[in-house]
Amino acid sequence: MALPSVYLTRRIPHRAMQALRASCGSVKVWDEEDRPVPREVLLREAAQVDGLLVMLTERVDTDLLAAAPNLKAISTMSVGYDHIDIAACKARGIAVGHTPDVLTDATADHAFALLLTAARRIPEGERYVRGGEWGPWKPDLLLGQQVSGATLGILGFGRIGQGVAARAKGFNMRLLVSGGRNVAAAATAYGAQDVGLETLLEESDFISVHVPLSTETYHLIGKRELSMMKKTAILINTARGGVIDHQALYDALKGGAIAAAALDVTEPEPINPDHPLLTLDNCLIVPHIASATYQTRERMGLLAVDNLLAALNHEPLPAEVEA
Ligand code: GLV
């Protein structure tokens, strides 16, 4: 039987690439660092191959599937799969793999790093020093919010939300959670309270978002939800930008309805450099790097390859999207 042909929309870590090349007849990669694969190129390449390995930047929809009659497997090097029309893939009998678990620790570390960074106003302090403004020590210089002992609301208590809870326990935080599969049992395991969204918004000092993006969660945090938060609250998002209404967030941060936000994800990505959120000192934005450690990206690459090869061989995927 001929070895499969695959197309990758980005270079992946070396060991993962080697594993793929060892089992495929042809491996083609979009190799331009500075821009994602243009849509027309992706449609053309997908038409030629048995398997696709994509990133979260590529939309896999009915048009792409229609252009790819031989496609048998799709693997995304991401845990999130909101960029893929899963129902349409299933209807075509195309297996879809993703990369859960291997990125949980790195992402939870990053969410907690953002929480601490925003709480203690680290970027402002750094800009202050670099800007030559550092004068005499003062008791009220750059005061932030206390993390130890504060209440953390975790919106979406799945794998990553639970990882954040594990870290928060080291800071003696009270944990409120809402949403996620088997949330009640998981809450008990982490000593958290499973509360509704409203209680979580009203009582949390920090709110960390971990829900997947879907039609139900699009703009889940908008004007009303922001107005329910404490004026001292800090909002952290490492999930998807679309979960938060950015105009409402800007208004809340500018008007003092909440204290600060730290975003790893925005809508769209990259955020427009002229976006008003970037004018605010109390908004910290980094470029979607929650899983960006050498170790985690290698594990993600290897799992994405294992998923793709398993699907192409009609074997069970190590991590198939359940939907
Ligand atoms: C990153 O956002 C991912 O879904 O892996």
Side-chain angles (χ1 to χ4, degrees), residues 28-46:
K28 207 166 163 190
V29 188
W30 173 256
D31 221 8
E32 287 187 32
E33 280 288 309
D34 293 344
R35 55 178 191 144
V37 58
R39 181 74 177 167
E40 66 279 9
V41 176
L42 179 59
L43 294 184
R44 199 170 61 233
E45 296 292 351

Side-chain angles (χ1 to χ4, degrees), residues 56 77-80 99 103 238-240 288 291 300:
L56 50 83
M77 195 174 124
S78 62
V79 63
T99 60
L103 50 60
T238 51
R240 285 291 182 268
H288 204 148
S291 65
M300 290 170 71

Side-chain angles (χ1 to χ4, degrees), residues 2-7 24-28 48-52 71 312:
L3 290 173
S5 56
V6 299
Y7 185 71
C24 290
S26 123
V27 176
K28 207 166 163 190
Q48 313 294 323
V49 292
D50 303 303
L52 269 184
L71 198 61
L312 289 170

Side-chain angles (χ1 to χ4, degrees), residues 218-237:
Y218 181 73
H219 286 193
L220 179 66
I221 304 291
K223 185 173 176 191
R224 176 176 164 275
E225 290 73 25
L226 287 155
S227 73
M228 294 169 73
M229 295 179 192
K230 295 182 180 182
K231 286 202 174 348
T232 50
I234 294 180
L235 179 62
I236 296 107
N237 189 7

Side-chain angles (χ1 to χ4, degrees), residues 103-148:
L103 50 60
T104 299
D105 279 328
T107 306
D109 287 350
H110 189 71
F112 215 81
L114 289 179
L115 184 155
L116 288 166
T117 303
R120 301 307 302 272
R121 302 176 61 185
I122 306 289
E124 285 172 83
E126 213 256 351
R127 288 196 289 270
Y128 180 83
V129 173
R130 279 184 197 267
E133 289 175 69
W134 193 2
W137 188 91
K138 290 182 278 188
D140 61 351
L141 178 64
L142 284 169
L143 300 184
Q145 299 297 332
Q146 179 98 1
V147 175
S148 290

